[in-house]
Each structure stands twice: as C-alpha cells, then as structure tokens.
Amino acid sequence: MTGDQHTTIYNQFLSDWKNAEPPVRPMKSELVEIGKILAAQKGRAMVLGSTPEYRDLALGLGYETTALDINPNMLSGMEELMTQSAGSHNKKVVGDWNAMPFPDASFEYILAEQSLNIVPMVERGSILSECARVLTPGGIFFCKVMVIRSDFRQTVTACTEKFLKAESTLNDYTMCLMHATDSDGYDETTGMLRFQDRAFIEQYVADGALSPAVQRDHRRVYAAHYTDHHLYLLSEETTEQQLEARFTVDRIIRGIEFEMSKVMPIFVCKKR
C-alpha cells in the first residue's frame, strides 16, 4: 500500500474510529496481560501504528514510546484518545513499516494491533524482518493479528438466525459474516478479506429482518467497514509459521470479552 492510498483510506474513517469500541480497538483483558509482561522491565517501546491504548500502556509504565505510522493524521488524531500526557517520552514518527527509520536494536518491545492485517501479504515478510531488526536481542514483539478459522465459517443465513435469536452478540455476528462460507469475501490465494458484512447488514435492514439500530451500532463499532478498506488474513497455523521464521513464539494471549477473540490472537514473539 502506498502512502497516498493509506492516507486516503484512513482519513475517511478517522472520526468514526474515535467512536469505535473493542474488538476493533484493544480489549481490556488483552491490555492487562500485555501490561504484566511490560512491567517486568523498563526501556523503549515502539507501536506499529497509532493505537492509543498501546501508547498509553507503555507510557504509563515509564517507557519511551514511539508510534510509527505512514499517516501523520492518524498519529495526531489518535493522540486525542490518549489519557497519558504528552511529553518527551511520547514520540511520533512518520515512516514506512517496510523501511523503518531506526537503527538496529532500537526497542525492547514492539506492539502491533492488527497492523499486519492491513498490508498486502507480499509485504508481510519485509515488515516482520524490519521488526526483528529494530528489536534488541531477546526483545518481544506483541503481534495481534486477525486469522481465518474454519470453525467460524458458517452460512450467512445461519449467522443471521443465530443473532436474531440472541444467541450471539453484534461483535460475534459481524465476525461470523466476515468468515461466512457463502459471502465470497475471502480470497484464499491472496489472503484478502473484503468487508461483505456491511452489505449483508444493509440488506437485512432493508428487508426488515434487522433494525436500523443494529446498523448504527455496527457502524459505530466497525467504522472501517464503511470505507474502501479490506484486510489480509491467513489461518492461525500459517500465521504462526510466518512469525516463527524470524522469532520464537513464546505464548499466545487471547481476549476474553468476545467469542470472536478466538480469531484475534496476540502472538508473544521473542527475538532469537
């Protein structure tokens, strides 16, 4: 993705993102587990993107924290959501994840909130190599990445019926639609997942099966789905193999707030 493309897409939903909720943004249970590891030592942390929760977490624990994003509007816009006061430890750097503007071994920790999901699969290897390069020996890369799971792949009708019977939340319903076997939204060759769930929800609202309130809630939580935006996903096993090529996967953290946390693991990767 070029810098211009990234800027255009993200400027479209920056204001909506500020109203978004987990799981689009980090879950409390995830932050607790990451915080336990960060609290073990002090040093330098880099956030792959502009995620305010990760920046707050590291700054609150006394880390010199650098957010790296190709879009300066995201860096400044997301700062409005931070609770930690800005200061010399809060750094913002405009740059490309494929060619990070830092020397080798610059950070003890890197935190990424679904960052790998927004870049084409052909770029994933170079970004992981750059993460390994700028980490200190033994440094840790917290890599949260959405994955495709076969046990989430139901039909659109089955997903909707489950939601209408109050057997699933809006969050889990949306994830089910994204993974739906008959949605034609996932390309196994490229790993690209298109946001078909927006179209399905709009059609069900038009048909009277879902209320307009459901659509409003969906837009609030999943603002990105209402822009020209898509994700790149692999299975959990294949994703772990990609990470193991450059790191040692020490453990996996999963949020506990939603059933869909199953498809959003945080790989705790240690630099060898």
Side-chain angles (χ1 to χ4, degrees), residues 127-147:
I127 292 172
L128 291 176
S129 293
E130 278 292 273
C131 288
R133 180 183 67 79
V134 301
L135 270 177
T136 57
I140 293 178
F141 175 32
F142 295 97
C143 181
K144 181 178 177 181
V145 57
M146 190 184 298
V147 298

Side-chain angles (χ1 to χ4, degrees), residues 1-14 69-74 94:
M1 181 185 298
T2 66
D4 288 343
Q5 289 173 323
H6 187 286
T7 299
T8 298
I9 289 172
Y10 278 84
N11 284 348
Q12 288 177 25
F13 77 87
L14 180 57
D69 202 309
I70 203 168
N71 187 345
N73 293 335
M74 286 293 286
V94 178

Side-chain angles (χ1 to χ4, degrees), residues 39-59:
Q41 69 176 68
K42 297 296 184 289
R44 301 156 296 175
M46 191 254 283
V47 177
L48 206 61
S50 304
T51 310
E53 290 86 351
Y54 285 166
R55 294 158 74 181
D56 273 339
L57 179 62
L59 286 167

Side-chain angles (χ1 to χ4, degrees), residues 17-70:
W17 175 274
K18 294 176 181 179
N19 297 316
E21 300 173 0
V24 174
R25 291 167 62 177
M27 303 176 216
K28 289 182 179 179
S29 60
E30 296 170 338
L31 294 170
V32 168
E33 292 303 312
I34 293 173
K36 291 176 183 177
I37 299 173
L38 290 178
Q41 69 176 68
K42 297 296 184 289
R44 301 156 296 175
M46 191 254 283
V47 177
L48 206 61
S50 304
T51 310
E53 290 86 351
Y54 285 166
R55 294 158 74 181
D56 273 339
L57 179 62
L59 286 167
L61 291 170
Y63 279 82
E64 179 182 280
T65 305
T66 301
L68 176 65
D69 202 309
I70 203 168

